[in-house]
Amino acid sequence: MTSERTFFGHPWGLATLFGTEMWERFSWYGLRAILATFMAASPAHQGLGMTEQTAQAVVGVYGALIYLVALPGGWIADRILGPRRSVFWGGFVIMCGHISMAVPVRSAAFVWLGLLLIIAGTGLLKPNISVMVGKLYPEDADARRDAGFSLFYLGINLGAFFAPLVVGRLAAGDRWHLGFGAAAVGMALGLLQYVLGRRHLRGVGDRPGMPLPADRRRRVLTHAGLAAAAVAVLLAAWAATGTFSLDAFTVVLTVVILAVPVAYFGYVMLGSHDLTADERVRMKAYVWLFVAAAIFWMLYDLAPSKLLFFAQNHTDLSLFGIRIQAATTQSFNPLFIMIFVPVFAALWVRLGSRVSTPQKFAFALVMVGLSFVVMALAAALAGAGRVSVWWLVLVYLIQVFGELALSPVGLSVTAKLAPQAFKGQMLGIWFIATSVGDAVGGQTGRLSQVMSDPAYFLTLAVMAIVAGLALLMFTRRLREMMAEHHEPALPAPGGGPSDTNGRRA
């Protein structure tokens, strides 16, 4: 009997998904590493000529929408396409988006079309490829599944590490569209591997989990089309008034994104939904953790905008005597994640229940705040000339310590605290915290118009550190609300999977 071919001891289908995700993340992080600087570059340098504040706001809402569309993307896979086809078409649309951005014309229309396609495609691909990884294993194979996800997330970090190096080098010298083209090639390679490796998936994700009847599908498509048409009409009417501007548009999108979790938590908390008393108390605790996570991502995800501009404008881009691109600084984060994931994984196992979830979140907030204290010092020194790139190395190192304290427990605590009636939906809500943080973080760039860079970084640092200390002060109360150290009046909902690898999938 011939033994089954495996991928590091795992089903060979994992190799297919590993490669697909690695190349998709290559395309995503490659684009992210040059997008803000491309938008802020003058037309003479083949850019869009935005102010840095506007570019930061655009990059913020772009990142926010990427996480927001994961909710409808998961629904489409569950009810219409199935995960396998959703991943394929999502990757195809992403590739088309990068190709659109790579078209070497002066018109910004191809850029906006490209970003729109990438957002839509990522919504289909991202939530569903992770689902397929989980379905490669039997229900009772928790340990193997966790190990498989560890390999899968290694692919994410490999793509995130190499993308800024390659894309940043190709885009140097105002060759922006060549960089965008490299991102398109990366997604094309991922799609090719996905198609060629389909047989190894053995039918995983072929069918939607809860398919819609044909009549309801038509009704949903009709409603979606009407909603899209209504948005288009509103935008056209706004443009016709002559008051439309890119800055105003990003503000409106930020308000809409902020309204999503407010409406959702209001719906859950104010409706009956047969929630038990314990479930309502836990939801109140979760809201505070959600806010803490949003503040963390608000600072953390300024890496591809505010920190990238600092690298470009105020940093001596020389590392070990080798000249690097500003985009290369975006590789520091995934490098540190790959180095320190095993360290923090062992640390959390060793500490066990002695460190609670609120304490981990508080530590994360303090760390990201301290990283911006370092940025404030670097910005102050940069007033007298360019500073060493090692300042940014230190900033990203401190931030990774915070991420590895917050990100791995996010999905787990969400699954633990979610009411039984909302357990599946709540896992998507965790990613909305990132969406909110990205959108608001993008708008903070406007503070640069009324304060210096050192003051800007210090203001955000104080906000995060104060939030972390406040969370630390109320740890005992939150643990009681979360039932982390007492028995609930009624049985609690079961736990869920945890991303122990520090990078959001």
Side-chain angles (χ1 to χ4, degrees):
M1 180 177 178
T2 305
S3 61
E4 180 184 1
R5 188 184 184 191
T6 62
F7 176 67
F8 293 102
H10 293 270
W12 193 254
L14 181 62
T16 298
L17 301 178
F18 175 98
T20 304
E21 179 73 348
M22 181 183 70
W23 285 113
E24 187 275 331
R25 289 292 86 183
F26 177 93
S27 70
W28 158 252
Y29 282 101
L31 170 64
R32 201 176 88 138
I34 63 172
L35 182 60
T37 45
F38 161 70
M39 288 181 166
S42 69
H45 291 281
Q46 312 304 315
L48 297 186
M50 297 181 189
T51 65
E52 290 186 0
Q53 292 77 25
T54 300
Q56 180 175 333
V58 172
V59 171
V61 295
Y62 167 65
L65 291 173
I66 287 289
Y67 288 99
L68 191 66
V69 296
L71 290 177
W75 185 90
I76 289 171
D78 284 342
R79 309 305 300 273
I80 300 176
L81 291 178
R84 183 185 61 78
R85 284 193 294 166
S86 294
V87 169
F88 172 80
W89 287 113
F92 180 78
V93 172
I94 291 171
M95 182 185 69
C96 291
H98 287 297
I99 291 173
S100 177
M101 297 189 69
V103 175
V105 296
R106 290 296 184 96
S107 172
F110 285 97
V111 174
W112 302 124
L113 174 62
L115 292 179
L116 184 62
L117 290 174
I118 293 168
I119 290 168
T122 305
L124 280 175
L125 186 148
K126 285 305 299 173
N128 297 307
I129 194 167
S130 295
V131 168
M132 293 177 68
V133 172
K135 290 185 176 180
L136 290 174
Y137 301 87
E139 287 291 332
D140 57 350
D142 290 343
R144 289 192 70 216
R145 185 184 300 107
D146 288 348
F149 270 107
S150 294
L151 278 173
F152 180 70
Y153 287 115
L154 174 62
I156 292 175
N157 286 291
L158 286 173
F161 173 72
F162 285 109
L165 304 177
V166 175
V167 174
R169 175 61 65 182
L170 291 173
D174 303 333
R175 300 189 302 266
W176 306 107
H177 298 288
L178 189 58
F180 298 146
V185 170
M187 190 65 256
L189 290 173
L191 272 178
L192 179 63
Q193 175 163 350
Y194 186 68
V195 172
L196 294 178
R198 175 187 171 185
R199 66 184 185 278
H200 300 299
L201 297 175
R202 297 185 172 183
V204 167
D206 278 357
R207 299 180 180 277
M210 300 175 63
L212 280 178
D215 58 333
R216 288 193 60 192
R217 182 181 303 184
R218 286 192 294 271
R219 189 159 62 246
V220 167
L221 292 175
T222 300
H223 289 165
L226 290 174
V231 171
V233 169
L234 287 174
L235 288 175
W238 187 7
T241 65
T243 60
F244 179 88
S245 70
L246 196 54
D247 282 314
F249 183 59
T250 62
V251 171
V252 170
L253 283 178
T254 298
V255 172
V256 171
I257 291 166
L258 282 169
V260 171
V262 172
Y264 186 82
F265 286 127
Y267 170 73
V268 172
M269 298 294 293
L270 299 179
S272 62
H273 310 300
D274 295 322
L275 266 61
T276 67
D278 281 323
E279 286 177 332
R280 291 186 183 279
V281 170
R282 290 176 186 175
M283 279 299 297
K284 291 178 182 178
Y286 182 76
V287 169
W288 291 108
L289 297 178
F290 180 94
V291 171
I295 294 173
F296 176 85
W297 298 122
M298 180 180 73
L299 276 68
Y300 188 91
D301 278 349
L302 290 178
S305 55
K306 188 67 177 181
L307 270 61
L308 181 62
F309 287 133
F310 185 85
Q312 176 183 258
N313 301 329
H314 303 294
T315 304
D316 178 14
L317 293 169
S318 177
L319 200 60
F320 299 112
I322 302 173
R323 297 298 300 173
I324 63 173
Q325 304 298 319
T328 303
T329 61
Q330 300 297 290
S331 291
F332 296 161
N333 174 280
L335 175 62
F336 286 138
I337 286 177
M338 288 188 286
I339 292 172
F340 286 102
V341 157
V343 177
F344 272 76
L347 177 64
W348 298 138
V349 170
R350 186 176 182 85
L351 291 174
S353 60
R354 285 176 290 176
V355 179
S356 67
T357 297
Q359 287 172 321
K360 291 177 181 178
F361 275 53
F363 175 79
L365 284 168
V366 171
M367 285 295 100
V368 78
L370 288 178
S371 77
F372 269 45
V373 172
V374 174
M375 279 302 306
L377 292 172
L381 292 174
R386 290 180 178 264
V387 298
S388 170
V389 74
W390 288 102
W391 283 95
L392 285 175
V393 172
L394 178 59
V395 167
Y396 286 118
L397 176 63
I398 296 172
Q399 287 189 354
V400 162
F401 290 164
E403 182 182 4
L404 293 177
L406 180 141
S407 187
V409 299
L411 285 174
S412 180
V413 73
T414 299
K416 176 184 176 183
L417 300 181
Q420 194 63 44
F422 296 93
K423 191 167 289 293
Q425 300 173 35
M426 284 288 292
L427 292 176
I429 288 297
W430 166 249
F431 293 106
I432 303 299
T434 307
S435 185
V436 169
D438 283 6
V440 175
Q443 297 301 322
T444 63
R446 304 184 193 283
L447 295 174
S448 299
Q449 298 172 342
V450 295
M451 60 176 61
S452 64
D453 274 356
Y456 169 85
F457 288 121
L458 199 57
T459 298
L460 294 185
V462 169
M463 182 187 304
I465 292 172
V466 168
L469 294 177
L471 199 62
L472 199 61
M473 289 174 58
F474 290 97
T475 290
R476 182 173 181 179
R477 174 58 181 153
L478 285 172
R479 291 192 71 177
E480 291 174 354
M481 295 171 70
M482 295 166 60
E484 277 201 346
H485 67 262
H486 76 275
E487 290 298 320
L490 294 174
S498 172
D499 167 12
T500 58
N501 296 274
R503 178 166 290 281
R504 293 153 291 163

